[in-house]
Amino acid sequence: MSADVMTRPRSRAAVPAGARRRRSKRKDPGRVLRLYIPLGLYLVFTLVPFYWMLVFALRPAGSTDPVPWPITFEHFETVWNDIGYAVFFKNSVIVGVWSLLFTTVIAVMGGYALARYRFRGRSLFMVVLLCTQFIPGAMMLIPLFSIFKSLGLINSLGSLVLADTVFNLPLSIILMSGFISAVPFTVEEAAMVDGCTRFRGFLAIVLPQLRPGLIAVGSFAFIHTWNNFLFALMFVSKQDSFTIPVGLSYTIGEYSADFGALAAGGVVAALPVVCVFAVVQRYLVHGISAGAVKG
Amino acid sequence: MTTMRRRAVPYLLISPTVALIAAFLVYPIGSVAYYSLQHQNLTRPWANGFAGLDNFRRMLFEDELFWQSLGFTAKWVIVEVGLQLLLGLALALIVNESFIGRGLARSLVFSPWAVSGVLTTGIWILLYTPSTGVLRFLGQPEAAVLGNPDTVFPAVVVTELWRGVPFFAILLLAGLQGIPGELYEAAAVDGAGRTRRFFHVTLPHLRDAIVLATLLRGVWEFNNVDLLYTLTGGGPAQATTTLPLYVAQRAVDSKDFGYGSALTMAGFVILLFCSILYLRLNRFGEDRDR
């Protein structure tokens, strides 16, 4: 099957030939029924909840207007300054960025080993990586808590960086090895023949071509870490170490009458990940197909 | 000397991963297995000690909540994965067509994937609360859907669908892009209509992607605690308590680590058994000559 893929002339985007042919039949009335109506309905389902959150976040308290006008930022001031989202946000950024860095660097190393070397224990390593996907984070809470306690990492953001990195790693390595396999080895070999060390060759030849992979894996790690709730709830109990999801869960519990604050907190929680996701979404789809094709 | 060093390179490269997985995944699983055979309760330390299979006996024969949560877990996983697969496949097929604004449409319909379980709860509480929600526009005023045992299940299912469908759509879209276009052309030349092309070209090619996606998502929904924990807390009257949520309650609230570990082991075994069975039944990864 991969031979088919290789010999197929590369079109700019992965548009199926069927779709290209159908473009000539623009006035197909079935297209509206088949394509635009379901898509429109699904867009409503996806976007109404987001819109509803924005409405609550932007309109004054007590208003029931379905359109947030006049716009007010009072709820954002409340959550950012009074409830402490400024601190939660900072903590989430710290944990997210460190976990992103660790995950990406270690995934490049592991992915390179899987993509370029045939070594004893390679398939065992793969099986272990896949098996980790069956481990429920919720059920690891008890043992991880006692490990972090003995390491003195309870209430420190370090425990979250560590735990999130560990849970991000397996899928990241598999994804990354797919990306590295897609870079032809011959180019790297040529560099080595020219006297480059393997490491120099990797930095000069492979790394620049790995940009989509780095973006996909990095954003994947960041989003997962940003969203992780259970570890943060369990390992951190001091309010100045809370991350965004923990802060948000307390807002849900304590401010359940103050929907404006809840919605504004939600917007603060959503904004970074939704923006990251909008930018990297196409790399993610490509990354998964690259990983899947190479198996 | 150099060959020795060269041979060590891949092992050096995977060593950080191996160390992390050993310390923070393999060792904890071992300790869960150990604790499942112990009485270990932080609130009753005088009774701690070796328990043999006592925790398991209690779980199987005395704990109705265990069986109830197990039943709900099965219902939750099957309904969620089934509906997410159907809607996700439809969505992937739609956004795989070419039309103006496709990139934007993809970004928008996929975006709930990036949203956390807690945030999903926050958003849907705004939608479900009787005084503020959208249901009042649909002629259901003052119905507290999350507090009513009859309506709570559809309510949590729809909420999780909102976040879960994009996962399937992304994975299946990736699969669709790997199908060579000539196959569709050949099928069209042979006179196959749209429906037949779907069943004879698209579906067989997506087969492995579908099996993998349903399995990953099934495991994930089994383990999904964030949403139910914050949205319903397992209620009303434990009606939406999954097994992992029950474990979390046992561990966090009643500090009964020994019994919680026994429940965890049960969860592992069930999950592993179901996964292997599922892969076997679908003959995953085998070459199928058609």
Side-chain angles (χ1 to χ4, degrees):
Chain A
M1 190 205 130
S2 56
D4 284 344
V5 176
M6 298 309 278
T7 52
R8 184 160 46 117
R10 278 261 166 250
S11 53
R12 197 182 59 83
V15 181
R20 243 178 287 143
R21 197 188 53 254
R22 251 174 267 138
R23 191 175 289 176
S24 54
K25 298 188 278 177
R26 251 290 141 72
K27 293 195 192 75
D28 180 6
R31 221 175 135 76
V32 175
L33 215 63
R34 213 177 54 242
L35 203 65
Y36 295 119
I37 291 179
L39 183 64
L41 286 176
Y42 200 84
L43 274 173
V44 169
F45 177 56
T46 302
L47 297 182
V48 161
F50 282 127
Y51 175 74
W52 207 246
M53 175 170 72
L54 276 177
V55 167
F56 270 92
L58 291 174
R59 74 187 177 191
S63 162
T64 53
D65 213 333
V67 181
W69 195 261
I71 284 179
T72 167
F73 289 99
E74 57 179 274
H75 302 302
F76 288 97
E77 278 167 27
T78 310
V79 294
W80 193 259
N81 298 324
D82 302 348
I83 306 182
Y85 273 63
V87 178
F88 307 159
F89 194 88
K90 192 193 78 194
N91 291 337
S92 272
V93 169
I94 292 172
V95 176
V97 169
W98 278 110
S99 173
L100 178 157
L101 289 176
F102 283 132
T103 305
T104 313
V105 170
I106 301 175
V108 168
M109 292 167 66
Y112 190 82
L114 279 180
R116 291 288 197 248
Y117 292 93
R118 296 287 169 269
F119 55 94
R120 183 177 293 198
R122 180 179 178 276
S123 44
L124 176 70
F125 184 58
M126 279 290 272
V127 169
V128 170
L129 289 183
L130 287 174
C131 280
T132 57
Q133 296 309 302
F134 295 99
I135 299 173
M139 298 184 169
M140 291 284 101
L141 285 177
I142 300 170
L144 282 180
F145 185 86
S146 38
I147 293 176
F148 287 134
K149 196 167 182 191
S150 58
L151 292 176
L153 284 176
I154 292 298
N155 272 330
S156 107
L157 297 178
S159 65
L160 302 183
V161 173
L162 253 173
D164 286 324
T165 302
V166 170
F167 274 78
N168 286 338
L169 261 181
L171 269 188
S172 302
I173 291 179
I174 293 170
L175 268 180
M176 194 57 95
S177 88
F179 278 107
I180 295 175
S181 304
V183 180
F185 184 51
T186 42
V187 198
E188 218 180 320
E189 248 176 346
M192 286 193 284
V193 170
D194 288 348
C196 265
T197 62
R198 185 141 199 176
F199 184 60
R200 286 269 313 275
F202 171 79
L203 288 186
I205 309 290
V206 184
L207 210 55
Q209 296 193 50
L210 219 52
R211 215 175 65 111
L214 295 173
I215 292 173
V217 167
S219 58
F220 180 75
F222 181 80
I223 290 173
H224 264 241
T225 308
W226 182 272
N227 286 342
N228 197 332
F229 167 61
L230 223 46
F231 290 161
L233 179 74
M234 191 74 178
F235 303 148
V236 166
S237 54
K238 282 201 322 237
Q239 193 162 350
D240 50 2
S241 308
F242 277 3
T243 57
I244 286 275
V246 180
L248 193 61
S249 79
Y250 281 101
T251 315
I252 291 171
E254 288 172 27
Y255 295 80
S256 51
D258 188 354
F259 290 120
L262 172 55
V267 173
V268 172
L271 217 52
V273 277
V274 170
C275 288
V276 167
F277 180 71
V279 176
V280 303
Q281 166 262 120
R282 60 207 175 93
Y283 292 106
L284 211 60
V285 174
H286 274 283
I288 293 165
S289 21
V293 167
K294 298 290 169 183
Chain B
M1 181 59 207
T2 40
T3 32
M4 274 263 287
R5 228 197 283 163
R6 203 171 301 153
R7 221 175 267 162
V9 169
Y11 295 106
L12 278 177
L13 287 174
I14 65 168
S15 58
T17 313
V18 172
L20 284 173
I21 288 180
F24 296 104
L25 289 175
V26 177
Y27 169 75
I29 292 172
S31 78
V32 167
Y34 171 76
Y35 279 126
S36 71
L37 301 175
Q38 302 279 325
H39 286 300
Q40 184 78 24
N41 191 332
L42 292 190
T43 57
R44 301 189 312 137
W46 58 89
N48 289 351
F50 184 69
L53 296 175
D54 195 45
N55 286 325
F56 291 97
R57 182 193 55 77
R58 202 172 124 205
M59 175 177 81
L60 291 175
F61 300 113
E62 288 170 16
D63 192 350
E64 264 175 51
L65 261 177
F66 166 70
W67 293 104
Q68 191 190 321
S69 67
L70 203 58
F72 176 74
T73 310
K75 186 171 144 191
W76 166 253
V77 169
I78 291 168
V79 170
E80 271 301 333
V81 173
L83 289 176
Q84 285 179 23
L85 171 64
L86 284 180
L87 289 171
L89 181 58
L91 195 58
L93 288 169
I94 289 170
V95 296
N96 194 38
E97 299 275 331
S98 59
F99 52 88
I100 298 162
R102 183 175 71 169
L104 181 66
R106 280 187 188 174
S107 290
L108 290 178
V109 293
F110 290 168
S111 56
W113 177 82
V115 168
S116 70
V118 183
L119 179 52
T120 309
T121 293
I123 292 175
W124 284 80
I125 277 182
L126 295 176
L127 290 162
Y128 281 149
T129 304
S131 54
T132 61
V134 286
L135 292 178
R136 68 201 152 105
F137 298 118
L138 301 174
Q140 267 228 326
E142 302 307 313
V145 285
L146 291 174
N148 183 340
D150 296 328
T151 51
V152 67
F153 186 64
V156 291
V157 165
V158 169
T159 306
E160 181 60 19
L161 278 183
W162 180 74
R163 187 169 63 126
V165 168
F167 169 87
F168 271 95
I170 292 170
L171 269 186
L172 296 180
L173 179 63
L176 282 174
Q177 295 185 343
I179 303 177
E182 300 96 75
L183 288 180
Y184 288 104
E185 273 160 21
V189 168
D190 289 347
R194 196 181 305 285
T195 324
R196 290 198 53 192
R197 285 204 297 266
F198 173 74
F199 281 104
H200 290 277
V201 179
T202 310
L203 220 47
H205 267 92
L206 282 185
R207 191 193 159 105
D208 277 355
I210 288 177
V211 172
L212 194 67
T214 45
L215 179 68
L216 280 177
R217 199 61 184 179
V219 172
W220 200 88
E221 290 296 353
F222 183 100
N223 294 331
N224 176 9
V225 171
D226 295 11
L227 182 87
L228 292 171
Y229 187 87
T230 49
L231 190 60
T232 67
Q238 307 283 352
T240 56
T241 303
T242 59
L243 183 58
L245 186 51
Y246 183 45
V247 173
Q249 286 172 349
R250 276 282 166 166
V252 178
D253 301 343
S254 52
K255 304 278 183 249
D256 193 348
F257 284 8
Y259 190 60
S261 299
L263 289 170
T264 303
M265 289 310 289
F268 273 143
V269 172
I270 293 167
L271 205 54
L272 207 61
F273 177 76
C274 290
S275 305
I276 292 170
L277 189 72
Y278 184 74
L279 287 179
R280 272 286 158 81
L281 286 177
N282 283 293
R283 301 193 301 150
F284 179 72
E286 292 172 24
D287 284 326
R288 288 170 295 268
D289 295 322
R290 274 175 293 114

